[in-house]
């Protein structure tokens, strides 16, 4: 289960100005350059209106321009999916009870989102054993939840099944009560990027749905998600789902002790751009262990965020790809987040353990 993070500042606003000074030469480091354009001077009674026009233009490298053109062409090819009715909020049932004897995470009792812990979660051998157990349970629950995906099933029914599987294993469903979240799992359908709240809406033939499962077992969280196909899904959506999973796999493949975190975003972006997909920047991966969300924050887009991986630490990688806009809107429930243009989105997530020579995927059955 990821969360929003504002990692960059917007560029300065574009300003137009007039100038009577001579033009300056182009600079490769300049984002905007000023180039005066002169017209033939007016004559006669119009001479009083003589002015110089200054045009601001953006300096774009050949690589950036090539990527822009390729993305536009790919969008023309891929945005040929059948337009589906936009998501509407269904009825949300009351939260489900958890037996008193199941240990609860410390954030319960408050509707405020907990602060992100600044500590990286690096485990000893005992901690790794407990992380493996929590993550394996999360993976089994997710696998079984995916088997429920079919037309006419409601996301509320998926939530009930996930809730029961988790408490039957003596664990707690981590999303339940986290910052006031009312359900035990996140179910994000079609244009919902993430954090969808299960409700009475029935899945439709051709939908895609991300199911995000996190369990709290013996004091440790295991976090994973996958996008499933519902019925007969068209080729455009199937490719989006496939490439999103490939992005996750490629991000994990370069992880090891001493590797730079920023390489993850670069690798994911490179693969997504080959197919013309956008990578959502707002939602990031995170450290996970005894604390649900902590440093390091894992950016899935190109970035210059410092930091290197350390043997024994655990964190999630969870890219979200879109066919169209990567901008988003959030419903009044403060959780459900959709693409701004209504285009489909897909997400995959694993919790991984950094080793000396690579990374172990913990959230596998």
């Amino acid at each position: 289960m990821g969360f929003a993070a504002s990692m960059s500042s917007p560029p300065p606003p574009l300003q137009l100005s007039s100038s009577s000074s001579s033009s300056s030469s182009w600079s490769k480091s300049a984002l905007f350059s000023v180039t005066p354009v002169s017209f033939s001077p007016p004559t006669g009674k119009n001479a009083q209106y003589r002015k110089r026009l200054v045009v601001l233009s953006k300096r774009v490298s050949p690589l950036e321009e090539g990527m822009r053109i390729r993305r536009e062409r790919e969008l023309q090819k891929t945005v040929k999916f059948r337009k589906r009715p936009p998501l509407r909020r269904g009825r949300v049932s009351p939260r489900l009870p958890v037996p008193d004897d199941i240990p609860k995470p410390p954030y319960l009792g408050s509707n405020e989102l907990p602060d992100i812990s600044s500590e990286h979660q690096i485990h000893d051998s005992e901690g790794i054993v407990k992380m493996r157990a929590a993550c394996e349970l999360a993976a089994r629950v997710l696998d079984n939840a995916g088997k429920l995906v079919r037309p006419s099933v409601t996301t509320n029914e998926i939530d009930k099944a996930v809730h029961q599987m988790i408490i039957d294993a003596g664990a707690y469903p981590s999303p339940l009560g986290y910052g006031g979240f009312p359900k035990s799992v996140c179910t994000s359908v079609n244009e919902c990027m993430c954090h969808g709240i299960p409700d009475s809406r029935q899945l439709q033939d051709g939908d895609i749905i991300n199911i995000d499962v996190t369990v709290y077992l013996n004091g440790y969280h295991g976090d994973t998600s996958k996008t499933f196909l519902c019925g007969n899904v068209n080729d455009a959506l199937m490719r989006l789902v496939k490439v999103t999973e490939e992005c996750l796999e490629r991000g994990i493949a370069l992880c090891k002790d001493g590797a730079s975190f920023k390489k993850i975003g670069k690798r994911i972006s490179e693969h997504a751009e080959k197919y013309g997909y956008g990578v959502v920047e707002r939602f990031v991966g995170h450290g996970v262990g005894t604390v649900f969300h902590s440093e390091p924050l894992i950016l899935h887009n190109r970035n210059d965020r410092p930091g290197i991986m350390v043997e024994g630490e655990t964190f999630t990688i969870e890219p979200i790809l879109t066919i169209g806009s990567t901008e988003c809107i959030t419903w009044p429930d403060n959780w459900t987040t959709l693409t701004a243009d209504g285009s489909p989105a897909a997400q995959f997530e694993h919790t991984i353990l950094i080793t000396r020579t690579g990374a172990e995927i913990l959230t596998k059955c």
Side-chain angles (χ1 to χ4, degrees), residues 8 71 81 110 142 207 221 232 287 298 301 308 315 345 355 363:
S8 60
R71 175 159 170 74
F81 53 87
S110 172
L142 179 62
D207 281 349
H221 297 274
N232 300 302
I298 308 299
N301 57 293
I308 60 172
F315 55 85
T355 68
T363 41

Side-chain angles (χ1 to χ4, degrees), residues 149-161:
V149 173
R150 60 181 181 274
S152 80
V153 169
T154 68
T155 51
N156 193 57
E157 289 175 296
I158 294 174
D159 177 73
K160 287 182 178 179

